[in-house]
Amino acid sequence: MRKTTIALALLPLLHSPALLAEVQINGFASIVAGSSLDDDEPLYGYDKDIDFNEHTKFAVQVAADLGQGLKATAQVLARGSEDYSAEFEWAYLSYDISDNLMLMAGRQRFNLYKYSDYIDVGYAYHWIQPPQGVYSLPFSSGEGVGLLYTTQWGDTDVGVTYKYITSSIDDYVPSGTDVQPAPFSAKAHVLNLNFTTGDFEYGLNLGYAPEVTYLNPDLALLALAWAQTGLFDESTLNDFLAIDDAVSLVGVHGKYDPGNWFILAEYTTSDYQDANAFTNQDSIYVSAGIRWNQLTFHLTYGQDENKPQYDSYNAMAPVIAGLPAQNQAQLLPLLALTKQALETQQQDSNYYTVGLRWDFHPSAAFKVEYTDFTNDKGPTADGQALMMGVDLVF
């Protein structure tokens, strides 16, 4: 009886206009098929057989305006590459402190690239997927707080964003590798400066992650083998792995789009402090396109360089060289295996992508792309891939 009385008392409140939120539901999807054109060499997750899962995804976004500047936003995304297991990409509250300043708290994006906020929304850009060298960092979403400041300087719209976000992935696999999944975590400060002057967009992204941890399975086994020799301290062995390591991130981008054509460029660089589990990376692409009625013809050229870190190997080699000949003979194979494991991370590649986008519907676009990839260093082989698909929003 008491529960019924309480429920009846709350019923008018639940229907009170003050408690009703304006809720908007949107969504997007990408249905993509792809295949490598080389029988023996996979590329971008595709082999010679046509695959519909690697870049296919579905998402639903719910935004609730609670009034007086308070909003709640959530986005659930299911990827074909993850067996369509639905996960929250966004789940945050935002509050308008003033007309120019907004506070955000909860699960949100790391703003590390030009297309960070809508990287999963294929309909928002001309490619099927943005260039994977530039868009390759493991942390894209996480939990934290952020501030967004917007203003206008003359004819220029200005946006400044600061975020502190933590990210944790149970089964991380570095892009372009086939190592066993392993835990990854990061805590990062990200600052974005974005400007729009007429048809010209440009910006600068700065990131610093003071704590990055990733136990690369292959390097972890090497660290364990070296630990059993008793020759090296914990600090040297930890250089094999990323354990509370630090990384600095810089990205710049610019786009000119007068309507009938566009040109876009983006450059990113990452610099890890000590961890041999990651390479320092420099990536750049230039993309241009021409629009004619509902068609967009585009061409992209990019370069990626992954530079391994040899701190652990350089510390070990002189020690092994100073041992008696018999001991050297026992440990030199392990030292060679260590160098080989680090060198397999290197890459010096370039690629070009030719594509077509057809906006056959106000909310949908058909796309087809051909990519030719060449690599001069490391185990990743040259290859070609063909992809086609439909992006839609609703």
Side-chain angles (χ1 to χ4, degrees):
M1 183 68 178
R2 176 177 172 80
K3 293 181 179 179
T4 302
T5 302
I6 293 175
L8 290 173
L10 290 175
L11 190 59
L13 293 177
L14 294 176
H15 290 277
S16 169
L19 295 179
L20 293 178
E22 181 181 340
V23 178
Q24 185 175 4
I25 300 177
N26 299 308
F28 60 87
S30 298
I31 300 91
V32 179
S35 171
S36 170
L37 299 183
D38 295 283
D39 291 342
D40 301 323
E41 302 298 342
L43 183 65
Y44 299 154
Y46 294 109
D47 56 26
K48 64 179 181 179
D49 297 321
I50 298 176
D51 181 272
F52 284 87
N53 289 325
E54 184 66 26
H55 291 110
T56 294
K57 51 186 176 283
F58 293 85
V60 174
Q61 180 175 304
V62 179
D65 188 343
L66 305 176
Q68 299 183 10
L70 183 63
K71 301 180 181 69
T73 303
Q75 178 178 292
V76 178
L77 177 65
R79 302 179 188 273
S81 60
E82 299 174 359
D83 296 325
Y84 297 98
S85 176
E87 295 184 357
F88 278 94
E89 287 290 306
W90 296 356
Y92 66 90
L93 292 175
S94 61
Y95 179 69
D96 295 329
I97 299 174
S98 69
D99 292 339
N100 303 96
L101 185 63
M102 181 173 68
L103 172 68
M104 298 165 287
R107 184 169 179 80
Q108 52 195 294
R109 285 291 191 193
F110 283 94
N111 297 75
L112 296 168
Y113 314 111
K114 173 175 173 50
Y115 293 106
S116 288
D117 283 336
Y118 40 93
I119 187 174
D120 291 314
V121 188
Y123 186 82
Y125 39 77
H126 55 286
W127 308 286
I128 291 178
Q129 282 289 306
Q132 296 192 23
V134 169
Y135 290 77
S136 63
L137 285 174
F139 35 89
S140 60
S141 296
E143 295 73 34
V145 296
L147 287 170
L148 170 62
Y149 177 75
T150 58
T151 188
Q152 193 166 26
W153 297 345
D155 296 330
T156 300
D157 294 325
V158 180
V160 180
T161 306
Y162 165 78
K163 291 183 180 180
Y164 172 73
I165 300 182
T166 64
S167 178
S168 179
I169 303 172
D170 294 331
D171 52 357
Y172 169 65
V173 177
S175 175
T177 71
D178 56 359
V179 301
Q180 293 298 312
F184 170 91
S185 62
K187 299 178 181 179
H189 303 269
V190 181
L191 177 67
N192 313 108
L193 305 173
N194 294 303
F195 308 91
T196 303
T197 305
D199 298 327
F200 186 33
E201 303 173 30
Y202 48 103
L204 171 67
N205 302 322
L206 302 173
Y208 178 69
E211 297 181 29
V212 176
T213 297
Y214 168 56
L215 305 180
N216 181 301
D218 294 341
L219 295 181
L221 289 174
L222 284 172
L224 179 61
W226 281 114
Q228 293 174 349
T229 68
L231 293 173
F232 305 102
D233 58 22
E234 184 177 0
S235 175
T236 301
L237 297 175
N238 283 347
D239 280 346
F240 274 106
L241 309 170
I243 301 177
D244 291 338
D245 195 33
V247 57
S248 299
L249 309 163
V250 177
V252 293
H253 60 83
K255 181 180 182 180
Y256 182 69
D257 187 349
N260 292 331
W261 62 277
F262 66 87
I263 185 167
L264 163 70
E266 189 166 5
Y267 167 78
T268 60
T269 181
S270 60
D271 184 9
Y272 286 85
Q273 181 175 307
D274 295 310
N276 294 176
F278 288 103
T279 61
N280 293 329
Q281 184 181 56
D282 294 309
S283 295
I284 188 171
Y285 71 81
V286 178
S287 185
I290 298 174
R291 299 186 181 97
W292 181 69
N293 293 330
Q294 285 77 40
L295 300 178
T296 301
F297 304 91
H298 60 88
L299 172 66
T300 301
Y301 176 79
Q303 294 181 339
D304 304 303
E305 183 180 13
N306 297 347
K307 295 166 286 188
Q309 300 186 79
Y310 294 95
D311 301 310
S312 51
Y313 175 83
N314 291 336
M316 292 173 173
V319 175
I320 302 303
L323 295 175
Q326 181 178 357
N327 299 107
Q328 285 189 42
Q330 294 174 339
L331 293 176
L332 282 175
L334 182 58
L335 187 64
L337 186 62
T338 299
K339 186 176 183 180
Q340 179 183 356
L342 297 174
E343 288 181 341
T344 57
Q345 302 179 91
Q346 66 183 337
Q347 180 172 309
D348 186 3
S349 64
N350 62 80
Y351 59 89
Y352 67 85
T353 297
V354 180
L356 168 69
R357 171 179 173 144
W358 173 31
D359 289 275
F360 67 93
H361 185 277
S363 299
F366 170 79
K367 300 177 182 178
V368 59
E369 289 181 0
Y370 165 81
T371 296
D372 185 281
F373 174 89
T374 303
N375 183 35
D376 295 329
K377 293 182 179 179
T380 304
D382 299 351
Q384 304 170 77
L386 180 67
M387 294 185 286
M388 62 182 65
V390 174
D391 291 319
L392 56 94
V393 292
F394 54 88

